[in-house]
Amino acid sequence: MAKKRPQTKAGKQQLKDGEIPVVGAREPCPCGSGRRYKACHGRTAAQAVTELVQRPFEGLTGECDWVALRELVPAGTVELKLKGGLPDGVPSVTLATVLPMAWPALRRDDGSVLLGLQNDTPSGDLSRDLADTLQQALAAAPGSPVTARRAPADGPRLQDMLDSDAPFEPVVHSGFEFWVPDAENATPEVSASLERANEAAIPTTRLSGVDAAYWCETPEKNHLRWVMPHPEEQLLDALARLHAAGVSSLGEGTRLVGSFRAHGLMVPVWDLPSAMGAAECEKPAAEFAERLAGALASDAPITAEERRARGGLTNRQVTLS
């Protein structure tokens, strides 16, 4: 019986990953593997677009406030600074929680740019999607909204476009009048849209004495939602220590009720009495921050009681993103 001829691999020299160009999905992969591009290096490119980035705002100034503006604040804006300055004809770039008609971005008549934060994005990397939208808005004609699209997998992220030395200073608004330069003289249609948006907005205030803590008013009780930058396991241990010691509240009638995860960070939540406004939260929040810093610094093993408290906090966690 004749022997089978051994199979030989493709003679083409294989390229390094960084040297492989993008080709059609059904074409042979340029790496020389002999497989189609979509089943070889094209799979990696597709995964880069769809893979979920757990902390899309990591490395940005004000990461905790980015998360809060994305998930907690109805009406808020922040002036953004770009690396290398603003392009000609663009007097300002402003991050906004929500824009009219849920536009991803808007180039106003005067050339200024509004970038919407609370929109659905087509990929798993919110930072890359927002950066792509910002690039479109900077190049759009004045008076034009920007529509959503899938960002290139190798496109820039916000971390590549924004000035890392510039402060990130959110301004929380009572309504959405920032949508239009002259709200008092807006058309009836715009006025009606503003009225509907304002009616749906939950009154929210950012505390001034601590970072990324937001008071909000609801019909039955008020809440404080505080985005924290600490690693989750370390923060849970610290909160458990305080909870077991009976010092996790913000004063009489308040209670730490749980937390949720958002964009890779933890957000503890307190129930507050209806009579407790944002101003009344400032002092107890600052005092809690001191207690939390002490608990975070402890490296002692948690006790059985603290472990039970930790389990209760963990059971009341909700993941938003």
Side-chain angles (χ1 to χ4, degrees):
M1 182 180 294
K3 293 183 179 180
K4 292 184 179 179
R5 181 177 298 175
Q7 293 182 345
T8 58
K9 295 183 179 179
K12 184 177 179 180
Q13 182 178 3
Q14 294 199 356
L15 302 175
K16 297 179 181 178
D17 287 352
E19 301 173 342
I20 298 168
V22 176
V23 298
R26 300 179 67 84
E27 295 181 33
C29 186
C31 75
S33 66
R35 292 181 291 174
R36 289 179 177 175
Y37 179 69
K38 69 176 183 179
C40 192
H41 281 85
R43 179 181 299 171
T44 302
Q47 184 179 11
V49 175
T50 59
E51 185 176 4
L52 178 64
V53 175
Q54 297 290 343
R55 287 182 64 178
F57 306 122
E58 185 176 13
L60 290 174
T61 302
E63 179 188 6
C64 293
D65 283 306
W66 277 92
V67 172
L69 291 169
R70 168 75 180 185
E71 300 295 340
L72 308 180
V73 180
T77 57
V78 184
E79 185 176 356
L80 300 179
K81 301 295 184 182
L82 305 185
K83 290 181 178 179
L86 296 171
D88 291 340
V90 181
S92 64
V93 174
T94 302
L95 180 72
T97 50
V98 180
L99 294 180
M101 310 297 293
W103 286 325
L106 172 66
R107 181 86 183 271
R108 281 177 160 166
D109 292 336
D110 65 355
S112 60
V113 168
L114 289 177
L115 176 66
L117 182 57
Q118 295 181 8
N119 291 309
D120 293 333
T121 55
S123 82
D125 188 349
L126 179 57
S127 177
R128 195 180 308 281
D129 289 336
L130 288 169
D132 182 67
T133 300
L134 177 55
Q135 282 188 315
Q136 292 184 74
L138 292 171
S144 304
V146 172
T147 57
R149 71 177 186 185
R150 182 175 290 276
D154 59 351
R157 306 179 75 239
L158 289 173
Q159 289 83 346
D160 303 316
M161 296 186 66
L162 301 184
D163 183 354
S164 59
D165 294 327
F168 189 82
E169 300 173 339
V171 177
V172 178
H173 303 273
S174 59
F176 294 90
E177 283 74 17
F178 64 85
W179 281 353
V180 290
D182 188 5
E184 293 182 357
N185 296 318
T187 64
E189 293 79 7
V190 171
S191 297
S193 178
L194 279 173
E195 184 177 356
R196 288 193 298 270
N198 289 342
E199 288 177 353
I202 297 175
T204 301
T205 301
R206 182 178 186 266
L207 299 193
S208 60
V210 294
D211 292 334
Y214 290 79
W215 170 93
C216 67
E217 179 183 13
T218 59
E220 296 184 358
K221 63 184 69 174
N222 300 337
H223 303 280
L224 185 72
R225 299 177 290 187
W226 194 339
V227 187
M228 296 187 172
H230 317 291
E232 181 173 326
E233 295 302 312
Q234 182 186 8
L235 180 55
L236 280 171
D237 282 351
L239 291 174
R241 294 181 196 276
L242 298 179
H243 202 62
V247 291
S248 64
S249 73
L250 300 176
E252 184 178 356
T254 72
R255 186 167 66 99
L256 174 64
V257 294
S259 64
F260 55 85
R261 299 183 190 93
H263 306 290
L265 298 182
M266 266 187 65
V267 187
V269 179
W270 286 263
D271 279 351
L272 311 173
S274 297
M276 190 172 185
E280 289 75 31
C281 286
E282 293 284 2
K283 183 179 179 181
E287 293 172 345
F288 177 85
E290 293 182 2
R291 297 196 298 273
L292 180 63
L296 286 167
S298 175
D299 57 1
I302 60 174
T303 66
E305 184 178 0
E306 291 167 349
R307 192 174 297 109
R308 286 192 293 272
R310 192 185 195 280
L313 291 171
T314 303
N315 290 337
R316 295 194 295 273
Q317 275 188 318
V318 176
T319 301
L320 296 185
S321 57

